[in-house]
């Protein structure tokens, strides 16, 4: 495990204060790190040492057990400074949540104890050779008294900074001796496990320092105790997907705010006024003032929608540090539809998923609009390559490719028109 000594976060207010302090430091070198593709090893060490990566560890294990809303705000704050750093622990929080929901007591104590000590989890989930992203080609099979994993994963965000990889696998045959049934399993394994190869080959136009490269598994052996069945979290009304998507929306809202802040600073100090405005300073141009007002509304709306969605996720999971689910069924709806009527009971898990879908749409739109408009409001000087102000747009355009918002609109529309709850698949 990475040799750090992690502090303990005691409250949501404490978490926000620590996140703001780190963000102020991380913002200083964000453009340079992006331009030079300088991986933020030092910054991630500081993030782990701060205790922020352990804020969702349950109280019975010594963690702060903070609610999703607190995690989302931490992620948003970090994303205003450097969305690469904000995205790196996304999978960490998601797979901590999987342990909370579906792990055994021994698994929870083992891996969440490591997290309390500063340990980091990264994903090895996505594949590129299957027909769709939902199909899993990486297999786990019995091999003597252990299990063998073979496959290749892509877009493994955070893998270059991790201690443990959470590997999404498929078990095709039942294993009677271990009691495993066919289905999806996540294997938690140390990054130095024999047969694991992590390749730094991520070449996206944005989010360039997230360590989102390729990881291959060639006969990697794991014990039964390292396997967690995913169905308990994903195929049940737990709010697992809403929590994961909430953090994506927080990253996008953070990018929007970061871009607006950069645009404001540049317009004040580096922009010249347009001659027709008959003003001495660019920031006194009435049309520029109008445009900044419009951009401010876009960012404020994204932040407010994110806050509302976070509150909905808190309500769905009982306010704890991860998505624990509610008594409401994830495929049923109240009499007045998924949101319920004025006097109807609302299914909290359904309401959370739909609220997060709306937040994702609004944050996606704000991040892309504001990061592109930065050049419009700042002028030709802002396009200088050495300033690297385009990293806001590249980061927004790249990160918002996660989970297309056209399907968020679709699920919202079906909920309104057909009283149909969103599906249980972990990405809404």
């Amino acid at each position: 495990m990475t040799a750090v000594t992690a502090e303990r976060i005691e409250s949501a207010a404490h978490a926000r204060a620590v996140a703001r302090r780190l963000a102020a430091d991380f913002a200083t070198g964000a453009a340079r790190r992006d331009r030079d593709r300088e991986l933020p090893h030092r910054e991630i060490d500081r993030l782990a040492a701060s205790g922020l990566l352990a804020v969702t560890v349950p109280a019975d294990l010594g963690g702060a057990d903070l609610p999703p809303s607190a995690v989302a705000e931490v992620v948003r704050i970090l994303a205003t400074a450097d969305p690469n750093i904000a995205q790196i622990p996304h999978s960490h929080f998601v797979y901590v949540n999987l342990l909370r929901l579906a792990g055994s007591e021994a698994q929870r104590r083992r891996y969440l104890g490591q997290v309390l000590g500063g340990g980091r989890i990264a994903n090895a989930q996505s594949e590129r050779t299957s027909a769709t992203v939902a199909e899993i080609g990486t297999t786990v099979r019995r091999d003597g008294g252990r299990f063998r994993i073979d496959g290749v994963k892509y877009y493994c965000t955070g893998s270059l900074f991790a201690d443990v990889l959470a590997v999404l696998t498929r078990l095709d045959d039942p294993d009677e001796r271990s009691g495993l049934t066919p289905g999806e399993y996540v294997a938690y394994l140390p990054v130095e496990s024999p047969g694991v190869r992590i390749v730094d080959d991520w070449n996206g136009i944005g989010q360039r320092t997230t360590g989102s490269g390729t990881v291959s598994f060639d006969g990697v052996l794991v014990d039964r105790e390292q396997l967690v069945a995913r169905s308990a979290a994903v195929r049940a009304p737990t709010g697992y997907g809403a929590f994961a998507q909430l953090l994506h929306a927080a990253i996008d809202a953070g990018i929007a705010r970061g871009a607006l802040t950069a645009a404001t600073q540049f317009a004040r100090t580096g922009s010249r006024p347009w001659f027709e405005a008959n003003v001495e300073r660019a920031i006194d141009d009435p049309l520029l003032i109008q445009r900044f007002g419009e951009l401010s509304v876009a960012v404020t709306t994204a932040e407010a929608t994110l806050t509302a969605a976070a509150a909905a996720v808190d309500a769905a999971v009982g306010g704890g540090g991860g998505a624990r689910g509610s008594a409401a069924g994830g495929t049923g709806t109240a009499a007045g539809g998924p949101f319920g009527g004025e006097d109807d009971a609302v299914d909290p898990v359904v309401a959370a998923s739909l609220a997060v879908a709306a937040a994702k749409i609004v944050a996606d739109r704000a991040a892309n609009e504001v990061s592109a408009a930065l050049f419009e409001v700042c002028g030709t000087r802002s396009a200088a390559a050495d300033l690297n102000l385009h990293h806001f747009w590249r980061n927004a355009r790249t990160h918002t490719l996660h989970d297309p918002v056209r399907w968020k609109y679709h699920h919202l529309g079906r909920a309104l028109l057909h009283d149909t709850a969103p599906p249980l698949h972990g990405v809404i």
Side-chain angles (χ1 to χ4, degrees):
M1 193 177 78
T2 304
V4 300
T5 301
E7 301 292 333
R8 295 293 174 92
I9 298 295
E10 299 174 354
S11 65
H14 185 193
R16 291 192 298 271
V18 172
R20 291 191 188 102
R21 184 174 69 248
L22 289 176
D25 292 341
F26 295 165
T28 303
R32 184 199 73 250
R33 287 190 298 271
D34 175 275
R35 184 190 63 225
D36 300 336
R37 199 173 178 275
E38 178 186 319
L39 296 177
H41 287 286
R42 190 179 306 107
E43 289 75 14
I44 298 302
D45 283 346
R46 290 186 60 194
L47 182 62
S50 75
L52 287 176
L53 299 185
V55 295
T56 59
V57 172
D60 66 319
L61 296 179
D65 205 15
L66 296 188
S69 58
V71 185
E73 181 60 7
V74 165
V75 170
R76 188 198 66 81
I77 291 169
L78 293 174
T80 64
D82 188 335
N84 292 265
I85 290 174
Q87 189 184 345
I88 287 167
H90 177 277
S91 295
H92 170 92
F93 287 119
V94 170
Y95 285 106
V96 165
N97 195 31
L98 182 69
L99 287 164
R100 291 176 58 108
L101 290 167
S104 68
E105 184 63 22
Q107 288 169 329
R108 291 169 73 249
R109 291 191 176 279
R110 175 181 179 180
Y111 295 111
L112 299 185
Q114 292 179 18
V115 168
L116 276 175
R120 313 160 198 176
I121 302 172
N123 89 87
Q125 177 171 310
S126 295
E127 300 184 8
R128 293 199 303 216
T129 57
S130 55
T132 72
V133 70
E135 297 179 19
I136 303 168
T138 299
T139 58
V140 57
R141 299 185 178 94
R142 169 72 72 170
D143 189 324
R146 307 183 74 190
F147 290 85
R148 171 179 174 143
I149 297 174
D150 293 280
V152 181
K153 298 291 188 177
Y154 302 89
Y155 315 122
C156 300
T157 298
S159 56
L160 294 174
F161 313 97
D163 305 298
V164 172
L165 294 175
V167 188
L168 181 57
T169 67
R170 187 189 78 252
L171 176 70
D172 290 331
D173 301 318
D175 189 281
E176 296 179 358
R177 284 185 294 172
S178 64
L180 297 181
T181 58
E184 299 174 358
Y185 288 83
V186 172
Y188 289 79
L189 55 95
V191 294
E192 68 272 12
S193 299
V196 174
R197 182 169 178 259
I198 300 176
V199 183
D200 181 15
D201 61 354
W202 169 240
N203 65 348
I205 63 169
Q207 298 297 90
R208 300 181 66 228
T209 63
T210 55
S212 300
T214 300
V215 181
S216 62
F217 305 89
D218 184 8
V220 178
L221 295 178
V222 298
D223 296 320
R224 166 65 184 88
E225 293 73 25
Q226 293 174 259
L227 300 175
V228 177
R230 192 167 177 255
S231 60
V234 177
R235 308 301 178 191
T238 62
Y240 178 83
F243 175 69
Q245 290 295 301
L246 179 71
L247 302 188
H248 278 309
I251 294 169
D252 296 336
I255 294 174
R257 174 59 68 182
L260 182 60
T261 299
T264 302
Q265 292 172 344
F266 194 92
R268 287 172 172 171
T269 60
S271 296
R272 293 186 298 175
W274 184 243
F275 70 93
E276 291 180 285
N278 292 318
V279 295
E280 293 184 1
R281 301 184 305 172
I283 59 173
D284 294 327
D285 179 340
L287 299 184
L288 190 70
I289 293 172
Q290 169 75 20
R291 186 64 177 126
F292 266 97
E294 294 169 354
L295 298 177
S296 177
V297 168
V299 175
T300 302
T301 302
E303 292 171 343
T305 311
L306 178 70
T307 298
V313 179
D314 283 358
V317 306
R324 287 195 289 267
S326 74
T331 56
T333 62
F339 290 111
E342 185 175 339
D343 299 318
D344 295 321
V346 179
D347 181 329
V349 174
V350 170
S353 288
L354 295 174
V356 172
K360 183 73 163 59
I361 291 168
V362 176
D364 180 301
R365 189 165 54 215
N368 284 292
E369 178 190 2
V370 178
S371 60
L374 181 153
F375 303 99
E376 167 198 337
V377 296
C378 291
T380 307
R381 293 180 178 184
S382 64
D386 61 308
L387 296 176
N388 197 29
L389 289 174
H390 56 296
H391 79 93
F392 290 104
W393 180 85
R394 289 186 290 100
N395 289 332
R397 183 62 281 172
T398 301
H399 182 260
T400 54
L401 296 176
H402 284 85
D403 315 314
V405 294
R406 61 183 179 273
W407 278 94
K408 312 298 183 187
Y409 283 113
H410 178 76
H411 293 309
L412 288 165
R414 289 174 72 242
L416 288 173
L417 295 174
H418 299 161
D419 289 341
T420 303
L424 294 172
H425 54 41
V427 289
I428 187 168

